[in-house]
Amino acid sequence: MIPRADITNAVQPIASVDAPAAIVAVADAKQEAFSRLVQIAIGQQLQGKVLSTYNDGSYLVRIANTAARMVLPTATRAGDSLLLTMVSKDPRPTFLLTETIPGEEESSSVSLSAAGRKMEKELQTSTTGAERSATTVDGRNTLVPETDDKTPQTAPQSRQESAPATLSSAGKLIDAILHTADPNQASKAIESSTPLVNTPVNASQLASALHDTISFSGTFYESHVAAWAEGKRPLDLLLKEPQADLGRQAPISTADLLSSADQSHKQLAEIINIQLNTLEQHRILWHGEVWPGQQMEWEISQEPPDSQSRADQEDSATAAWHSVVKFELAHLGTVSASIRLVDKQIHMQVRTDNDNSARLLRRHGNQLADSMAAAGTSLDSLIVKHDGES
């Protein structure tokens, strides 16, 4: 006879199974870290901490309570403190390294944000993927919230002692200019000290004056110098720009801009600051008198590709430009006009601060279209609204 199996003793219940932990969304962590970095103001100084190194020679750095990958001098090691200045946000956050302070190696119990901890964990556990090289510019370091497949490692004991980073003359100049500029005037406008025209009668004369006030502002001086060197721009036009005028007054060197309190040097530093902001923000601001007693604010910007319509993007050579002017007029009140130019199509939207002015502008809208047609430009659409009207 086969003995009966004692099921109650032979079969044991399985151990309790805990619910699986939520999977970390690496993309969300990366986006959160990137958002933290782009919120830093241009010219703001921050302190960073080197957490670890990677196989490709880059570093994991804690900055703004998050973690990011950075290219640093080879003498840098884990535990060093960094003094960084934000100089650009596009296409990725870029910092100027102004000082490296040797320190103790960072312990494993680093206090990071949730996004930073997720990114660091992902970077430590990733062991596959293509190695990517990073580019170092004199005195600059590009920070990128990354989830690249690299294995961080602590700095080897045989590594040389960390030494303060040496900045190039260009790096020192940019740092000095960013510190000279008023942080509250990051988007300072080009200003005109004299009216552009004496009377608003001649439209072509006003258009030419508006063109010249931007062209001769010094914002595009370096590109104009390059055009002159290629024989595409006459010297007399180049000499009308403020950089040429300041250079004739007194020779200006990098050392002068870094140390001198001369007013002309400050003026040149302001121009360079406007150039940096124009390059960063892809827009130009102008403020001044268009004719005696009539102030105008003017903004010119190039629309990014993702904001253009599908039809606009089909032609890669087509660029969309956006221009906004704002006036305080004696009879119409506050009037602003938003003009969008795509290829040869012009779309305009006018806003006023009262309904009476809006009705008056609608009534005479045909006169604007006829005047533009007479000048050889068609007005494809015109919308007039008063503030508060959707």
Side-chain angles (χ1 to χ4, degrees):
M1 175 184 288
I2 299 175
R4 185 184 61 160
D6 191 343
I7 297 177
T8 59
N9 294 330
V11 180
Q12 299 295 331
I14 63 175
S16 60
V17 179
D18 295 333
I23 298 175
V24 174
V26 177
D28 292 343
K30 177 180 177 180
Q31 184 60 38
E32 180 182 342
F34 185 83
S35 298
R36 286 176 180 269
L37 294 179
V38 297
Q39 289 175 4
I40 301 172
I42 298 292
Q44 181 178 345
Q45 280 196 335
L46 296 163
Q47 187 167 6
K49 191 80 168 181
V50 180
L51 304 181
S52 56
T53 63
Y54 297 100
N55 294 333
D56 67 344
S58 60
Y59 297 80
L60 180 67
V61 177
R62 180 184 65 197
I63 184 171
N65 201 29
T66 190
R69 186 175 66 89
M70 179 192 295
V71 177
L72 297 170
T74 56
T76 308
R77 67 177 183 178
D80 288 352
S81 296
L82 311 173
L83 188 60
L84 304 162
T85 302
M86 169 70 84
V87 295
S88 177
K89 299 180 184 180
D90 184 25
R92 57 179 58 180
T94 303
F95 290 79
L96 179 71
L97 175 61
T98 56
E99 186 178 2
T100 301
I101 304 172
E104 298 296 328
E105 187 171 335
E106 189 75 6
S107 66
S108 59
S109 58
V110 178
S111 176
L112 292 176
S113 65
R117 289 195 296 271
K118 294 173 185 177
M119 289 174 58
E120 185 180 27
K121 181 178 179 181
E122 175 66 19
L123 288 166
Q124 289 173 342
T125 56
S126 298
T127 57
T128 61
E131 293 288 335
R132 292 199 316 174
S133 61
T135 303
T136 303
V137 182
D138 288 342
R140 283 194 179 193
N141 299 291
T142 302
L143 287 180
V144 191
E146 294 283 359
T147 54
D148 291 338
D149 296 329
K150 300 183 182 73
T151 304
Q153 59 183 16
T154 58
Q157 296 297 325
S158 60
R159 196 165 187 151
Q160 296 180 355
E161 291 297 320
S162 177
T166 301
L167 297 180
S168 66
S169 298
K172 293 177 181 178
L173 178 59
I174 293 174
D175 180 61
I177 291 170
L178 290 172
H179 283 82
T180 300
D182 185 351
N184 296 324
Q185 298 291 330
S187 299
K188 184 176 180 180
I190 300 168
E191 295 185 358
S192 178
S193 57
T194 59
L196 300 185
V197 295
N198 293 326
T199 60
V201 177
N202 192 324
S204 61
Q205 181 186 12
L206 178 58
S208 178
L210 288 170
H211 172 274
D212 290 347
T213 194
I214 298 297
S215 181
F216 298 141
S217 67
T219 306
F220 306 101
Y221 181 71
E222 286 71 21
S223 63
H224 291 167
V225 170
W228 166 75
E230 295 175 358
K232 299 178 180 178
R233 190 175 180 86
L235 181 60
D236 59 334
L237 294 183
L238 196 64
L239 295 178
K240 292 182 179 181
E241 304 199 39
Q243 287 95 327
D245 185 52
L246 292 171
R248 286 194 297 266
Q249 293 177 17
I252 300 176
S253 65
T254 300
D256 292 331
L257 286 175
L258 294 176
S259 60
S260 176
D262 189 276
Q263 186 61 36
S264 63
H265 299 169
K266 290 185 177 181
Q267 182 182 351
L268 183 56
E270 290 178 359
I271 294 173
I272 298 175
N273 187 261
I274 291 176
Q275 289 179 316
L276 292 174
N277 279 283
T278 300
L279 184 64
E280 169 68 24
Q281 300 174 12
H282 292 212
R283 69 170 183 169
I284 299 174
L285 303 176
W286 180 89
H287 179 267
E289 285 185 301
V290 283
W291 55 82
Q294 182 58 65
Q295 295 287 330
M296 184 182 84
E297 296 177 13
W298 186 19
E299 176 183 333
I300 310 169
S301 61
Q302 184 177 16
E303 295 184 4
D306 56 358
S307 67
Q308 299 181 30
S309 67
R310 183 181 301 274
D312 296 339
Q313 296 180 25
E314 289 178 356
D315 182 3
S316 58
T318 299
W321 292 88
H322 191 211
S323 182
V324 179
V325 293
K326 184 176 181 180
F327 302 90
E328 291 287 344
L329 300 174
H331 300 291
L332 298 177
T334 302
V335 177
S336 64
S338 175
I339 306 163
R340 187 170 183 268
L341 173 64
V342 183
D343 195 10
K344 295 183 179 180
Q345 296 183 0
I346 298 178
H347 305 274
M348 185 182 301
Q349 183 175 106
V350 180
R351 301 193 74 91
T352 69
D353 60 355
N354 64 84
D355 192 38
N356 291 333
S357 296
R359 285 197 298 268
L360 183 62
L361 289 171
R362 290 192 195 102
R363 189 182 311 142
H364 296 280
N366 290 335
Q367 295 181 16
L368 174 63
D370 293 342
S371 298
M372 292 181 64
T377 304
S378 64
L379 180 60
D380 294 273
S381 67
L382 173 63
I383 301 174
V384 180
K385 297 181 178 181
H386 65 83
D387 292 340
E389 183 180 359
S390 59

